Amino acid sequence: MPADYLPEHAVRVYQDERPSVTRLILEARWAHYRLTDTLEHDPDSNTVPALRRLKLLHAGALIDVLALRTRNADLYEAARDHGTALREVDGLALDDHPHNGLDHLRAQYARLHPHTHGDAYRVPHATAESLPLKRPFRRPGPQLVYQMLDTYAWAHLGLSPHFPAVDVADERRRHLVTRGLLLDWAAAAAPADKAAAASAATAGHALRKLDRRATLNDLRARAYLRDAFRDFDDQDDDAPHPYDCAGRCDGTGEVLTVLTWEHHGDDGYTAVHQEPILCVGGSAAHIPDCITCGGHGYTYAAGYRELCLDGRIADDDSGALQEA
């Protein structure tokens, strides 16, 4: 598959620019570091608004490209949130079409380089109906991006005597792993991107060298990144969700769920709001004495139905409830 047909090139702004994932990571982490450094040393600086805008723009573009490649819902929502925040920073109205945040992010990225095509024009893509690639780690994609940015910033800030509690060596290792994982994910989602695959392998080799391990081939070096990440993943693993979780969270522990429906009469409801909530597996059970909803799982008010989150029962708790 020619490089012209990488998934992000279905969007005009990325088609014109053809940015590499490696370059997007470099830009995003530098913007994040500059903002973090300024906030820590001179939070009242008049450069903070401009640096915050720069971080929103570059981190948003990175997340957007990763979302286009992996078709991951969490990344898509995060990219749209960055665009919405960027619109707000730029003083634009926020009460119009929800996609305009993402359009604005892409337009501003184009103008930064600069391009004449700053809209979100899409061209047909042969793999539009393919299934999203399952990520090689349990943590939500945006969280991994944020950790990659934070570890880079603190690995540098920790060199200053102002932050003696920072473990610089640990931050550097975490950054190497998280950056390598993002490159590995991006490469797996777009096999034509040989440069991302090579960069992911380089990160794996560097990690093994840091850990004083023997050199492996590129594929096994990339696999080592995933193994290393599991060692320091700070999620609550007391009851980890499997990749094939019945709640369809793909092991993340969160699932995108409709929370609010608008009533149109005759028991007709239209979904109007959804967001990620804690996954409790495939169970739809609700405690019968729930003080919020009375046990039927929903509350009703002012023409709307709301999902009750207070009395949900996880799969492994429902049996114990029946015994009680």
Side-chain angles (χ1 to χ4, degrees):
M1 183 170 63
D4 290 12
Y5 292 97
L6 290 173
E8 62 266 26
H9 297 156
V11 176
R12 176 73 67 85
V13 55
Y14 302 121
Q15 185 181 55
D16 288 347
E17 177 65 15
R18 297 184 185 179
S20 69
V21 172
T22 302
R23 194 193 79 187
L24 288 167
I25 288 176
L26 289 172
E27 292 172 339
R29 73 182 191 182
W30 179 241
H32 179 78
Y33 166 70
R34 291 179 62 195
L35 175 61
T36 305
D37 179 70
T38 302
L39 290 174
E40 291 294 336
H41 291 100
D42 188 12
D44 297 324
S45 170
N46 56 12
T47 65
V48 168
L51 292 176
R52 181 171 283 116
R53 183 186 188 279
L54 200 63
K55 181 208 166 177
L56 285 170
L57 178 58
H58 284 301
L62 169 62
I63 292 172
D64 188 27
V65 166
L66 290 173
L68 289 166
R69 287 201 185 190
T70 64
R71 305 192 67 202
N72 178 264
D74 291 335
L75 288 171
Y76 170 76
E77 292 296 330
R80 194 177 69 176
D81 289 346
H82 277 70
T84 300
L86 191 63
R87 282 177 60 85
E88 186 173 10
V89 167
D90 290 343
L92 300 177
L94 302 176
D95 56 354
D96 51 8
H97 197 281
H99 288 112
N100 279 350
L102 199 51
D103 290 349
H104 184 68
L105 170 68
R106 293 170 178 173
Q108 296 308 305
Y109 178 84
R111 289 166 187 158
L112 182 68
H113 286 286
H115 300 152
T116 56
H117 299 112
D119 59 6
Y121 171 73
R122 297 181 67 87
V123 295
H125 190 259
T127 60
E129 300 303 321
S130 61
L131 293 174
L133 180 75
K134 185 173 291 185
R135 58 183 169 275
F137 44 85
R138 290 183 53 242
R139 184 171 303 184
Q143 189 179 350
L144 187 71
V145 173
Y146 303 146
Q147 184 175 23
M148 184 272 297
L149 298 176
D150 275 338
T151 50
Y152 178 81
W154 285 105
H156 286 75
L157 288 172
L159 298 174
S160 165
H162 296 292
F163 305 102
V166 176
D167 186 339
V168 174
D170 184 63
E171 294 295 337
R172 285 176 173 171
R173 187 176 187 277
R174 285 173 178 260
H175 176 69
L176 184 60
V177 174
T178 51
R179 180 173 61 86
L181 272 180
L182 287 173
L183 288 164
D184 181 50
W185 195 19
D193 190 355
K194 305 300 184 184
S199 295
T202 298
H205 291 310
L207 181 65
R208 288 190 64 84
K209 183 177 180 179
L210 183 67
D211 293 344
R212 298 182 179 180
R213 300 292 186 90
T215 302
L216 301 175
N217 63 40
D218 286 355
L219 288 177
R220 292 180 67 187
R222 288 167 62 178
Y224 186 71
L225 290 167
R226 297 189 288 271
D227 292 338
F229 181 74
R230 295 187 187 100
D231 291 340
F232 65 70
D233 191 349
D234 58 8
Q235 292 190 70
D236 182 6
D237 288 332
D238 290 340
H241 289 225
Y243 286 114
D244 58 350
C245 173
R248 299 184 179 181
C249 70
D250 293 328
T252 66
E254 289 186 335
V255 60
L256 193 65
T257 304
V258 175
L259 298 182
T260 306
W261 296 262
E262 185 177 5
H263 188 216
H264 296 285
D266 298 326
D267 292 328
Y269 290 90
T270 301
V272 295
H273 175 70
Q274 63 178 358
E275 63 183 63
I277 64 171
L278 185 66
C279 176
V280 293
S283 173
H286 209 86
I287 57 174
D289 57 349
C290 175
I291 61 174
T292 302
C293 68
H296 40 81
Y298 301 96
T299 60
Y300 301 85
Y304 290 91
R305 184 177 74 178
E306 300 279 348
L307 184 67
C308 177
L309 303 179
D310 295 336
R312 296 184 307 148
I313 305 172
D315 282 337
D316 54 358
D317 293 337
S318 57
L321 182 67
Q322 291 174 359
E323 292 175 4

mmCIF file of all heavy atoms in Angstrom, residues 1 3 6 8 19-22 69 183 186-188 190-198:
data_model
loop_
_atom_site.group_PDB
_atom_site.id
_atom_site.type_symbol
_atom_site.label_atom_id
_atom_site.label_comp_id
_atom_site.label_asym_id
_atom_site.label_seq_id
_atom_site.Cartn_x
_atom_site.Cartn_y
_atom_site.Cartn_z
ATOM 1 N N MET A 1 0.850 -1.195 0.000
ATOM 2 C CA MET A 1 0.000 0.000 0.000
ATOM 3 C C MET A 1 0.887 1.246 0.000
ATOM 4 O O MET A 1 1.700 1.427 0.893
ATOM 5 C CB MET A 1 -0.899 0.005 1.249
ATOM 6 C CG MET A 1 -1.858 1.168 1.288
ATOM 7 S SD MET A 1 -3.097 0.996 2.605
ATOM 8 C CE MET A 1 -2.095 1.017 4.071
ATOM 9 N N ALA A 3 2.393 4.976 0.499
ATOM 10 C CA ALA A 3 2.282 5.856 1.655
ATOM 11 C C ALA A 3 1.203 6.909 1.462
ATOM 12 O O ALA A 3 0.679 7.448 2.423
ATOM 13 C CB ALA A 3 3.632 6.527 1.928
ATOM 14 N N LEU A 6 -2.120 6.127 3.474
ATOM 15 C CA LEU A 6 -2.244 5.929 4.910
ATOM 16 C C LEU A 6 -3.584 6.480 5.360
ATOM 17 O O LEU A 6 -4.102 7.445 4.772
ATOM 18 C CB LEU A 6 -1.104 6.629 5.644
ATOM 19 C CG LEU A 6 0.286 5.999 5.452
ATOM 20 C CD1 LEU A 6 1.352 6.872 6.079
ATOM 21 C CD2 LEU A 6 0.333 4.597 6.030
ATOM 22 N N GLU A 8 -4.757 8.458 7.604
ATOM 23 C CA GLU A 8 -4.939 9.888 7.873
ATOM 24 C C GLU A 8 -4.975 10.720 6.597
ATOM 25 O O GLU A 8 -5.440 11.866 6.600
ATOM 26 C CB GLU A 8 -3.837 10.402 8.805
ATOM 27 C CG GLU A 8 -2.432 10.292 8.266
ATOM 28 C CD GLU A 8 -1.735 9.020 8.698
ATOM 29 O OE1 GLU A 8 -2.436 8.025 8.975
ATOM 30 O OE2 GLU A 8 -0.488 9.032 8.758
ATOM 31 N N PRO A 19 2.239 14.137 7.497
ATOM 32 C CA PRO A 19 3.112 14.138 8.681
ATOM 33 C C PRO A 19 3.385 12.719 9.156
ATOM 34 O O PRO A 19 2.529 11.845 9.086
ATOM 35 C CB PRO A 19 2.282 14.903 9.715
ATOM 36 C CG PRO A 19 0.863 14.587 9.337
ATOM 37 C CD PRO A 19 0.849 14.457 7.835
ATOM 38 N N SER A 20 4.583 12.469 9.636
ATOM 39 C CA SER A 20 4.897 11.166 10.216
ATOM 40 C C SER A 20 4.434 11.145 11.664
ATOM 41 O O SER A 20 4.373 12.183 12.325
ATOM 42 C CB SER A 20 6.402 10.896 10.150
ATOM 43 O OG SER A 20 7.097 11.764 11.030
ATOM 44 N N VAL A 21 4.105 9.961 12.162
ATOM 45 C CA VAL A 21 3.710 9.830 13.558
ATOM 46 C C VAL A 21 4.871 10.230 14.466
ATOM 47 O O VAL A 21 4.666 10.862 15.508
ATOM 48 C CB VAL A 21 3.245 8.392 13.859
ATOM 49 C CG1 VAL A 21 3.021 8.192 15.349
ATOM 50 C CG2 VAL A 21 1.971 8.085 13.102
ATOM 51 N N THR A 22 6.095 9.905 14.043
ATOM 52 C CA THR A 22 7.263 10.292 14.832
ATOM 53 C C THR A 22 7.352 11.799 14.978
ATOM 54 O O THR A 22 7.601 12.325 16.077
ATOM 55 C CB THR A 22 8.550 9.752 14.172
ATOM 56 O OG1 THR A 22 8.462 8.337 14.063
ATOM 57 C CG2 THR A 22 9.770 10.133 14.998
ATOM 58 N N ARG A 69 -6.115 6.245 12.206
ATOM 59 C CA ARG A 69 -5.477 4.955 11.895
ATOM 60 C C ARG A 69 -6.155 3.799 12.613
ATOM 61 O O ARG A 69 -6.442 2.770 12.012
ATOM 62 C CB ARG A 69 -3.999 4.989 12.291
ATOM 63 C CG ARG A 69 -3.141 5.817 11.370
ATOM 64 C CD ARG A 69 -1.696 5.412 11.503
ATOM 65 N NE ARG A 69 -0.851 6.273 10.705
ATOM 66 C CZ ARG A 69 0.429 6.038 10.469
ATOM 67 N NH1 ARG A 69 1.016 4.971 10.998
ATOM 68 N NH2 ARG A 69 1.141 6.869 9.739
ATOM 69 N N LEU A 183 3.972 4.227 18.799
ATOM 70 C CA LEU A 183 4.524 3.979 17.470
ATOM 71 C C LEU A 183 4.174 2.569 16.991
ATOM 72 O O LEU A 183 3.829 2.367 15.820
ATOM 73 C CB LEU A 183 6.039 4.161 17.493
ATOM 74 C CG LEU A 183 6.531 5.604 17.627
ATOM 75 C CD1 LEU A 183 8.000 5.643 18.029
ATOM 76 C CD2 LEU A 183 6.314 6.367 16.323
ATOM 77 N N ALA A 186 0.473 2.550 16.008
ATOM 78 C CA ALA A 186 0.282 3.259 14.746
ATOM 79 C C ALA A 186 0.808 2.441 13.574
ATOM 80 O O ALA A 186 0.187 2.404 12.499
ATOM 81 C CB ALA A 186 0.984 4.614 14.798
ATOM 82 N N ALA A 187 1.926 1.764 13.761
ATOM 83 C CA ALA A 187 2.504 0.951 12.691
ATOM 84 C C ALA A 187 1.647 -0.274 12.402
ATOM 85 O O ALA A 187 1.448 -0.654 11.245
ATOM 86 C CB ALA A 187 3.923 0.531 13.063
ATOM 87 N N ALA A 188 1.122 -0.900 13.452
ATOM 88 C CA ALA A 188 0.277 -2.080 13.262
ATOM 89 C C ALA A 188 -1.013 -1.721 12.546
ATOM 90 O O ALA A 188 -1.556 -2.525 11.781
ATOM 91 C CB ALA A 188 -0.026 -2.720 14.613
ATOM 92 N N ALA A 190 -1.317 0.648 10.318
ATOM 93 C CA ALA A 190 -1.015 1.064 8.943
ATOM 94 C C ALA A 190 0.298 0.410 8.526
ATOM 95 O O ALA A 190 1.365 1.022 8.648
ATOM 96 C CB ALA A 190 -0.921 2.583 8.853
ATOM 97 N N PRO A 191 0.242 -0.830 8.052
ATOM 98 C CA PRO A 191 1.473 -1.555 7.709
ATOM 99 C C PRO A 191 2.340 -0.853 6.669
ATOM 100 O O PRO A 191 3.532 -1.132 6.573
ATOM 101 C CB PRO A 191 0.942 -2.896 7.169
ATOM 102 C CG PRO A 191 -0.405 -3.053 7.814
ATOM 103 C CD PRO A 191 -0.963 -1.664 7.915
ATOM 104 N N ALA A 192 1.756 0.074 5.890
ATOM 105 C CA ALA A 192 2.543 0.805 4.905
ATOM 106 C C ALA A 192 3.534 1.757 5.550
ATOM 107 O O ALA A 192 4.502 2.175 4.917
ATOM 108 C CB ALA A 192 1.618 1.585 3.970
ATOM 109 N N ASP A 193 3.294 2.109 6.797
ATOM 110 C CA ASP A 193 4.164 3.067 7.475
ATOM 111 C C ASP A 193 5.379 2.331 8.041
ATOM 112 O O ASP A 193 5.456 2.011 9.225
ATOM 113 C CB ASP A 193 3.395 3.794 8.577
ATOM 114 C CG ASP A 193 4.176 4.963 9.160
ATOM 115 O OD1 ASP A 193 5.348 5.150 8.770
ATOM 116 O OD2 ASP A 193 3.626 5.686 10.005
ATOM 117 N N LYS A 194 6.336 2.084 7.180
ATOM 118 C CA LYS A 194 7.547 1.367 7.596
ATOM 119 C C LYS A 194 8.366 2.189 8.577
ATOM 120 O O LYS A 194 9.061 1.641 9.440
ATOM 121 C CB LYS A 194 8.392 1.018 6.371
ATOM 122 C CG LYS A 194 7.657 0.229 5.291
ATOM 123 C CD LYS A 194 7.142 -1.105 5.832
ATOM 124 C CE LYS A 194 6.488 -1.932 4.713
ATOM 125 N NZ LYS A 194 5.885 -3.180 5.219
ATOM 126 N N ALA A 195 8.307 3.522 8.450
ATOM 127 C CA ALA A 195 9.094 4.379 9.336
ATOM 128 C C ALA A 195 8.620 4.261 10.780
ATOM 129 O O ALA A 195 9.431 4.213 11.708
ATOM 130 C CB ALA A 195 9.014 5.831 8.873
ATOM 131 N N ALA A 196 7.288 4.203 10.989
ATOM 132 C CA ALA A 196 6.757 4.046 12.348
ATOM 133 C C ALA A 196 7.150 2.693 12.927
ATOM 134 O O ALA A 196 7.495 2.577 14.105
ATOM 135 C CB ALA A 196 5.241 4.217 12.354
ATOM 136 N N ALA A 197 7.109 1.650 12.091
ATOM 137 C CA ALA A 197 7.507 0.319 12.551
ATOM 138 C C ALA A 197 8.977 0.311 12.951
ATOM 139 O O ALA A 197 9.355 -0.275 13.980
ATOM 140 C CB ALA A 197 7.246 -0.708 11.453
ATOM 141 N N ALA A 198 9.813 0.965 12.146
ATOM 142 C CA ALA A 198 11.242 1.019 12.460
ATOM 143 C C ALA A 198 11.490 1.804 13.745
ATOM 144 O O ALA A 198 12.327 1.420 14.582
ATOM 145 C CB ALA A 198 12.007 1.656 11.297
#
